[in-house]
Amino acid sequence: MTSPLITVAELAAALDSPHPPVLLDIRWQLGGPPGAEEYAKGHLPGAHYLDLDHELADPPGAAGRHPLPDPERLATALRRAGVAAHRPVVAYDAGPSLSAARAWWLLRWAGHPDVRVLDGGLAAWLAAGQPVTTDTPAPGDGDFKVSPGHLPTVDAAGAAELGRTGLLLDARAGERYRGETEPIDPRAGHIPGATSAPTTENLAADGRFLPAADLARRFAALGVTDPARTAVYCGSGVTAAHQLLALEVAGHEGAALYPGSWSEWSANPENSAAVG
C-alpha cells in the first residue's frame, strides 16, 4: 500500500519532475488568523489555497460546525485549484496536518485516487530549507468530477450504535472527552461508549506522524481490530480526518468518519452525554 503521506524530499523531487502534483494549501486554525492571510505571506511554489470553512465544508448548522460540503461546492473549489483525476494531489498546512487531513479525506471520499499529505506541513518544508513564494498561481482548469461516498461515514445513530457494539474513537483532547471543559460546543462530555484517542498522540514532537509501526501499536492498544466496525469523531469532523489518516498509515483502511461529530451530537438535547 502506498503511504498517504509524502516527505519533504519526495515532494521536492515530484515538483521537479515532468508530472508534478497539484499542491493544495489548507492552512486553518480554529479561532486563529484566516488561512488566506497566512497563504499570502508565503506558500509552496504553485500551491493553491482552499478555504476549509467555506470550500471544504457547508455552512454550520444542525449538521454541525463543518458539515460535508455540497458536491458542487467542493467540485468548483477543486477545479479552480487545478485538481484533475489524472494528476496526483498533495495537501499541506502549517503543520501538523490537522486541516490538510480534512482535504485528504474529502478528496478520497469524492473519488480521487491519488492524494497525499505533506508530513510535517509547511514547518517541515521550511526546516529543510525549501523555498516559498508570495506569487499566486493563476486559477487552474481542473476537470475533477466529485463522486461522493468513496469513503465510509456514519450519522449520529450509527455513531451511537458503534459506541455500543463496535469501536468509536473520540479524537479530541482528553479534557474535552472527559467533560472537564468545552470551549465551543453546546455541552461537555462524549458520546456514550466512545474511547478517548487524542489526535495529538499520532504525532512526534516535530509535528510529523509517528512511524507506521508505532501507530499500529497505538491503535492496537485502543482496540482497533476491524476497521469496518470502527468510526472516529472529534468536534466538527476536522481532526477526526487526521485520525483516519493515521489509521491508514498504520494499515487500517475502512474506518468511518462521523462528520457532524460532537458539534452535531451535543446540539441535540435527545442525545445523552457521558463524562469522566
Side-chain angles (χ1 to χ4, degrees):
M1 180 185 75
T2 301
S3 174
L5 301 176
I6 187 170
T7 67
V8 168
E10 290 169 338
L11 178 57
L15 291 174
D16 198 36
S17 74
H19 303 288
V22 175
L23 275 181
L24 303 179
D25 186 307
I26 319 291
R27 275 179 277 180
W28 172 87
Q29 292 182 61
L30 182 63
E37 294 181 6
E38 298 302 303
Y39 171 84
K41 295 175 183 176
H43 50 266
L44 271 66
H48 291 264
Y49 173 73
L50 291 183
D51 188 303
L52 188 148
D53 286 325
H54 301 107
E55 295 178 308
L56 303 185
D58 267 3
R65 284 186 279 111
H66 289 107
L68 295 185
D70 172 80
E72 191 51 43
R73 176 196 300 271
L74 179 61
T76 297
L78 295 177
R79 288 194 290 263
R80 174 185 59 77
V83 175
H86 67 278
R87 286 186 67 187
V89 176
V90 174
Y92 74 91
D93 55 29
S97 304
L98 296 177
S99 49
R102 167 78 173 206
W104 166 83
W105 187 92
L106 278 174
L107 276 157
R108 292 280 306 281
W109 169 80
H112 199 288
D114 190 354
V115 190
R116 290 195 281 177
V117 168
L118 176 59
D119 195 13
L122 179 64
W125 182 263
L126 293 172
Q130 295 290 343
V132 295
T133 182
T134 57
D135 295 338
T136 301
D141 57 352
D143 60 4
F144 181 65
K145 294 178 173 61
V146 170
S147 172
H150 289 263
L151 292 181
T153 61
V154 296
D155 57 12
E161 194 271 333
L162 285 173
R164 294 189 299 268
T165 65
L167 182 63
L168 182 62
L169 299 178
D170 185 319
R172 299 173 301 159
E175 59 268 22
R176 290 184 70 190
Y177 168 86
R178 294 188 295 272
E180 296 165 3
T181 183
E182 181 45 64
I184 190 165
D185 290 318
R187 286 183 287 158
H190 60 267
I191 298 174
T195 297
S196 180
T199 289
T200 51
E201 294 180 12
N202 297 326
L203 299 167
D206 62 3
R208 291 177 174 87
F209 280 82
L210 294 171
D214 291 351
L215 287 171
R217 284 189 288 270
R218 162 170 157 76
F219 289 121
L222 288 166
V224 177
T225 57
D226 180 4
R229 296 292 299 160
T230 302
V232 186
Y233 76 95
C234 57
S236 66
V238 175
T239 56
H242 188 279
Q243 193 89 286
L244 291 165
L245 176 56
L247 279 162
E248 187 160 313
V249 172
H252 296 297
E253 294 187 67
L257 173 71
Y258 172 25
S261 286
W262 186 248
S263 59
E264 179 188 48
W265 181 277
S266 61
N268 185 343
E270 295 183 3
N271 292 332
S272 60
V275 295

